[in-house]
Amino acid sequence: MSGGAIKKGSSGPAGVIQWIGSACKFAADRNDFRRNLLVNLGLFAAGVWVARNLSDFDLMSPQAVA
């Protein structure tokens, strides 16, 4: 994604379509090291987030009854 290809004033449906097109082109490039790095870091961060949030639950503790 080059900075010159994206217009600063683009908004509305044309801007969204342009963003989706550039995202699809970015995802479809099989030999892009940066894409693989970003995807792997994103998946790792999502896994860490899930693991940290699931560790807050203690399923063996008695539940408070109101």
Side-chain angles (χ1 to χ4, degrees):
M1 287 193 275
S2 64
I6 300 173
K7 297 178 183 176
K8 289 185 179 181
S10 65
S11 62
V16 172
I17 292 172
Q18 183 180 9
W19 183 84
I20 291 172
S22 62
C24 290
K25 189 169 104 175
F26 180 70
D29 188 3
R30 290 178 176 255
N31 295 322
D32 193 358
F33 174 77
R34 288 181 300 154
R35 178 189 65 87
N36 291 330
L37 182 65
L38 286 173
V39 167
N40 288 329
L41 286 175
L43 289 173
F44 176 75
V48 168
W49 183 83
V50 167
R52 287 178 59 101
N53 285 318
L54 286 180
S55 67
D56 290 341
F57 296 110
D58 188 4
L59 298 175
M60 298 299 292
S61 66
Q63 301 297 313
V65 178

